[in-house]
Amino acid sequence: MTRPNVVMIVLDDTGFAQLGCFGSDISTPNIDRLAGDGLRYNRFHVTALCSPTRASLLTGRNHHRVGMGYLTDIPTPDPGYTCAIPPAAGTLPAVLKQAGYSTFAAGKWHLAPRWEVNPAGPYDRWPLGLGFERYYGFLSAETSQRTPTLVRDNSYVPQPRTPDEGYHLMEDLTDEAIGFIRDQQQNTPERPFFLYYAASAMHAPIQAPEEWVRRYEGAFDQGWDEWRDAIVTRQKELGVVPEDADATPRPPWVRPWEELSEGERRVTARSMEIFAAYLSYTDAQIGRLIDHLRETDTLDNTIVMLISDNGTSAEGGPDGSFNYHGLHRDRAANRELTFANLDEMAGDHSYMQYAWPWAWAGNTPFWLWKRFTALGGVRTPLIVHWPDGVGTPGEVRDQFCHVSDLMPTVLEAAGVPVPERLNGVEQMSLDGASILDSFLAPEVAAPRETQYFECAGSRSLYHRGWKIRTDHVGPTPLLERELIPGSHEYDEDHWALFHLDTDYAETTDLSASHPELVREMVQMWWTEAGRNQVLPLNDGYTGRPQMERPAGHRQPARMSYRPGPGAVSEFMHPVLTEGFTMTAHLEVPDEPSNGIIAAIGDWTQGLAWYLRDGHMLVSANYAGVGHRTRSAVPLAPGRQEVRLTYRLREGGGTFALHQPGEDAVELDVDGPLPVRWQIGGPGLRIGFDAGFPVDDGYAPPYAMEPGVLQRVDVESGAAGLLEPDDSDLARVHE
């Protein structure tokens, strides 16, 4: 038999109930067609978080066991949290490549420690270092859909078109994925291929083309309560939820729709309209990819698997956020900004996340969401489409299965044995088990009886139809800690007990009736935790023990940078949060100069130091709120040393522009500097800018005239500080 091709589609932050074939009324016809011609699994589980799920998918092992117990943004010295997949955990693309497959990846990566995500590498844990032959996408947790930070293979590259030319990242990723397949099939058609298509959607920023947003105007005016009730009905009609299943009730931290003011209803409904448009647009891009396979007679012998990496995201807070950079900075100011920008919510200045009641409804019929090991965080859709290998199309499978099962399933379907050694390294055993038999036989046994879960202190365990789960809520994000009831101390955690064989949605706590079973399963959890490197437990998003960076990857106290293309990673330039001095060495011409001296981020959050008509300007944009000042007089011609400084003061800091012979011009800004100006942003640019500007006073690239800017020296006010305090990582996105 000809070995099958494999296309693995990974959606981000997409809930169990947000696809049409799982009960939603959001239009996803292409995904629904895959389900209608294939299979849906309604007891498929992931890890509740992005990096861990992707590591488990690509290695076939439990995530802590391969060092990915949490996000790559916060590596720690503990073995389960190093964020460095070891060579002993050979990846699915590496094994398939060794067996003769072509391997490509397009989209989100988020599987390398944060200091390795810079133009100089090392590249060992970039896609090409872990088994892929070609790659196009972005390496961090998120990026703008309109002005993304892009990587091709091992190099950062500019985006091919501008937003004004209609650019959107999902279309670009799909173009590249199709191109990878076309190149391979037209040159070596006898080789099978593996495509890892990791969509940027539905992770924030929620950004959809305007024409798609218009399709959903008014579509959610009925509110989340009615919308969720309708989903439950459709789920039972579709057979993805048992007819006798109860849905979890509306939790106390989700307000009834009827209690909202008209303004609150319009803002939150608008956020959902844009989310729905983004999902439908993403479905259209998936349709383009599948159509290419169909048109080239490749689809029948291609295994297509579609999953989401975790449940819905609640990172928009109760109201949603026009610019969710600011949600944990100043909640009241963020709400005011969001309500004031209703008409711009789908525009270029938006860095949006939708309101969390819609996230609750998007996980119907389950409880909670991403970052929690309740079913709302760990149970997501799995669709399998393989005309040559699936039994009766359209059926639903109810075997308990896990993301780690997908690698052994693919290997078995491809006839590729699990290697004992890969690239000269002895391989650790797999934790996953193949579900290939279930493709043809609906009644086969589940591949496992037991599976542990842990995410930022939230813990659970499944065993033979039963599940225990803690009520633990970690210290951050503060929004959830303040509003969601639960334990904040491990010793005070309550372990609830659910019989999932009869209680599909985890609604009824039976712990009081079965205390012995609870004690037995809690001990099983600790055993699994010890075996899989889960310990020591840490529920913080801040305050995790810092891993010492490798030599050569420590943030210096002082560096000099020359103008030119490219950027310096935010993880590699001197620390700015404790104060800094930037000194620019200029050869000022007789005519007034214009251009960027240094810039980082954009108008959703950024900092720019630039010249306009010979005057220096500093522009600081904190989560969409701009602050700007300029020097009183233009720079005199000739050789000049000018400075931009930032000094801490109580409640915030002061920027100052310094030029010879003039008093400093100061700009006071409340609040601390962000640890990260842009999650997944390009970093510090010298002599030019790209993407969106930090303010409307210039238009990128706004490059300095040749010969004017010689270099920029950057010196941290925190000399000797190798790592910033990760306080802003309360809003790290997965």
Side-chain angles (χ1 to χ4, degrees):
M1 177 179 175
T2 303
R3 291 181 296 175
N5 306 304
V6 181
V7 173
M8 188 75 70
I9 301 172
V10 181
L11 298 176
D12 209 320
D13 291 358
T14 304
F16 183 84
Q18 289 179 326
L19 304 178
C21 52
F22 277 80
S24 176
D25 62 354
I26 298 173
S27 178
T28 56
N30 296 289
I31 295 174
D32 297 348
R33 184 174 178 183
L34 288 175
D37 294 337
L39 303 172
R40 283 164 293 171
Y41 286 74
N42 68 354
R43 285 184 169 90
F44 171 73
H45 297 79
V46 292
T47 72
L49 209 54
C50 162
S51 300
T53 289
R54 292 158 198 262
S56 187
L57 185 158
L58 291 175
T59 67
R61 285 97 175 172
N62 288 325
H63 54 300
H64 294 89
R65 200 163 159 242
V66 297
M68 205 65 69
Y70 196 60
L71 299 174
T72 61
D73 307 79
I74 312 179
T76 82
D78 300 314
Y81 303 88
T82 62
C83 300
I85 296 173
T91 64
L92 177 58
V95 174
L96 290 175
K97 182 172 70 171
Q98 180 175 268
Y101 272 70
S102 297
T103 58
F104 332 120
K108 174 173 171 174
W109 187 240
H110 207 197
L111 286 173
R114 68 176 187 259
W115 48 76
E116 294 184 4
V117 182
N118 72 81
Y123 311 111
D124 307 62
R125 283 174 279 272
W126 289 31
L128 270 60
L130 289 178
F132 289 104
E133 295 171 309
R134 301 183 70 181
Y135 172 68
Y136 184 80
F138 59 102
L139 297 176
S140 297
E142 71 186 42
T143 193
S144 169
Q145 303 304 295
R146 298 177 174 122
T147 59
T149 302
L150 293 169
V151 168
R152 183 183 299 282
D153 298 334
N154 285 344
S155 298
Y156 281 85
V157 294
Q159 69 184 77
R161 301 187 309 282
T162 68
D164 288 342
E165 295 170 321
Y167 179 88
H168 193 284
L169 178 57
M170 276 305 305
E171 180 183 36
D172 190 17
L173 295 177
T174 307
D175 288 344
E176 291 290 331
I178 291 171
F180 290 160
I181 295 171
R182 182 183 60 246
D183 288 350
Q184 190 265 349
Q185 288 288 290
Q186 292 182 168
N187 288 279
T188 57
E190 72 284 355
R191 293 181 67 190
F193 64 82
F194 170 57
L195 170 65
Y196 177 68
Y197 177 87
S200 52
M202 294 300 296
H203 199 290
I206 306 299
Q207 296 170 329
E210 183 179 352
E211 62 270 22
W212 288 80
V213 177
R214 285 196 293 267
R215 302 181 187 189
Y216 283 97
E217 289 180 356
F220 301 98
D221 288 353
Q222 77 275 33
W224 40 71
D225 295 298
E226 286 188 22
W227 191 68
R228 190 173 191 259
D229 290 343
I231 287 175
V232 172
T233 299
R234 285 192 295 270
Q235 287 177 327
K236 294 182 178 183
E237 292 172 350
L238 292 169
V240 293
V241 167
E243 290 187 5
D244 59 353
D246 293 325
T248 54
R250 176 169 35 77
W253 60 86
V254 171
R255 293 170 62 192
W257 183 257
E258 62 187 22
E259 293 183 3
L260 272 64
S261 68
E262 283 301 313
E264 289 172 324
R265 292 181 184 182
R266 183 77 286 270
V267 167
T268 55
R270 182 60 171 170
S271 75
M272 185 59 184
E273 291 168 11
I274 300 168
F275 178 91
Y278 190 19
L279 180 54
S280 291
Y281 178 73
T282 298
D283 174 82
Q285 304 312 310
I286 292 172
R288 290 177 55 224
L289 175 62
I290 300 304
D291 285 346
H292 176 76
L293 298 176
R294 185 178 290 112
E295 292 163 3
T296 56
D297 296 323
T298 311
L299 184 61
D300 285 354
N301 192 38
T302 298
I303 302 172
V304 179
M305 293 180 168
L306 182 146
I307 72 165
S308 173
D309 61 359
N310 44 246
T312 56
S313 169
E315 289 155 320
D319 303 307
S321 179
F322 175 73
N323 186 326
Y324 84 132
H325 285 307
L327 190 60
H328 297 281
R329 187 180 185 91
D330 186 330
R331 194 188 313 168
N334 182 76
R335 175 182 164 94
E336 182 179 347
L337 181 73
T338 299
F339 278 67
N341 283 279
L342 173 63
D343 293 338
E344 302 298 324
M345 198 173 284
D348 287 346
H349 282 79
S350 170
Y351 205 85
M352 198 205 81
Q353 178 60 289
Y354 67 158
W356 76 13
W358 295 113
W360 161 68
N363 279 334
T364 303
F366 306 130
W367 187 254
L368 281 170
W369 38 53
K370 173 181 178 178
R371 293 192 305 267
F372 291 90
T373 62
L375 288 180
V378 300
R379 185 174 287 179
T380 70
L382 166 62
I383 295 170
V384 175
H385 181 278
W386 185 19
D388 286 353
V390 164
T392 305
E395 290 187 336
V396 174
R397 297 288 187 263
D398 63 1
Q399 289 86 355
F400 182 99
C401 50
H402 186 260
V403 64
S404 62
D405 298 330
L406 300 187
M407 175 173 173
T409 302
V410 168
L411 292 181
E412 183 179 1
V416 176
V418 179
E420 295 182 4
R421 300 182 69 85
L422 185 66
N423 298 323
V425 178
E426 185 175 348
Q427 297 293 288
M428 63 173 65
S429 61
L430 298 186
D431 294 304
S434 174
I435 59 171
L436 186 65
D437 286 350
S438 69
F439 288 8
L440 295 173
E443 303 301 326
V444 301
R448 68 189 60 244
E449 292 185 332
T450 305
Q451 178 63 44
Y452 84 92
F453 299 90
E454 189 277 338
C455 183
S458 177
R459 294 168 286 159
S460 60
L461 178 96
Y462 169 85
H463 180 65
R464 295 181 180 175
W466 293 87
K467 182 182 176 183
I468 54 169
R469 186 193 78 207
T470 66
D471 61 346
H472 195 90
V473 182
T476 49
L478 294 177
L479 214 56
E480 289 177 333
R481 183 175 175 86
E482 292 174 5
L483 298 179
I484 296 178
S487 168
H488 306 313
E489 302 293 337
Y490 294 121
D491 291 342
E492 299 174 3
D493 284 356
H494 169 66
W495 288 89
L497 175 69
F498 305 94
H499 190 212
L500 297 188
D501 284 352
T502 57
D503 179 13
Y504 177 79
E506 212 174 65
T507 63
T508 305
D509 179 8
L510 302 175
S511 59
S513 303
H514 301 277
E516 288 298 324
L517 180 57
V518 172
R519 281 192 288 271
E520 177 185 343
M521 291 183 67
V522 169
Q523 184 56 52
M524 290 176 64
W525 187 92
W526 285 104
T527 299
E528 289 295 294
R531 185 177 71 85
N532 285 281
Q533 303 184 149
V534 179
L535 308 176
L537 289 172
N538 193 318
D539 62 0
Y541 295 76
T542 64
R544 289 183 177 244
Q546 292 288 302
M547 174 181 283
E548 184 176 356
R549 297 192 188 197
H553 283 79
R554 301 175 185 178
Q555 286 180 274
R558 185 180 189 278
M559 278 291 289
S560 293
Y561 301 110
R562 307 267 175 192
V568 183
S569 166
E570 287 200 60
F571 300 130
M572 300 305 295
H573 61 60
V575 175
L576 304 181
T577 52
E578 302 299 312
F580 65 82
T581 298
M582 294 187 186
T583 303
H585 300 264
L586 303 170
E587 290 284 352
V588 181
D590 292 336
E591 295 298 320
S593 293
N594 297 282
I596 292 289
I597 299 174
I600 189 169
D602 63 21
W603 56 28
T604 63
Q605 184 156 274
L607 175 67
W609 179 25
Y610 61 96
L611 299 181
R612 191 173 67 197
D613 298 328
H615 292 264
M616 287 194 298
L617 290 90
V618 59
S619 180
N621 195 311
Y622 285 24
V625 179
H627 311 268
R628 184 173 68 180
T629 192
R630 75 168 198 163
S631 61
V633 297
L635 296 178
R639 181 168 295 183
Q640 299 272 11
E641 273 191 21
V642 297
R643 289 180 290 132
L644 168 66
T645 62
Y646 175 79
R647 296 290 177 263
L648 300 180
R649 61 172 176 79
E650 185 175 354
T654 300
F655 294 95
L657 296 169
H658 308 262
Q659 66 190 77
E662 301 292 334
D663 293 335
V665 177
E666 296 186 344
L667 174 66
D668 289 336
V669 179
D670 292 336
L673 290 185
V675 171
R676 300 180 69 175
W677 289 95
Q678 292 278 295
I679 303 289
L684 181 67
R685 295 180 170 120
I686 304 297
F688 78 106
D689 204 355
F692 291 133
V694 175
D695 67 37
D696 291 322
Y698 68 93
Y702 204 59
M704 192 73 73
E705 296 96 325
V708 175
L709 179 61
Q710 306 299 307
R711 73 176 194 271
V712 177
D713 302 328
V714 181
E715 184 171 359
S716 173
L721 181 67
L722 301 182
E723 291 285 348
D725 171 37
D726 284 337
S727 59
D728 198 46
L729 291 176
R731 199 198 58 76
V732 162
H733 304 302
E734 299 80 7

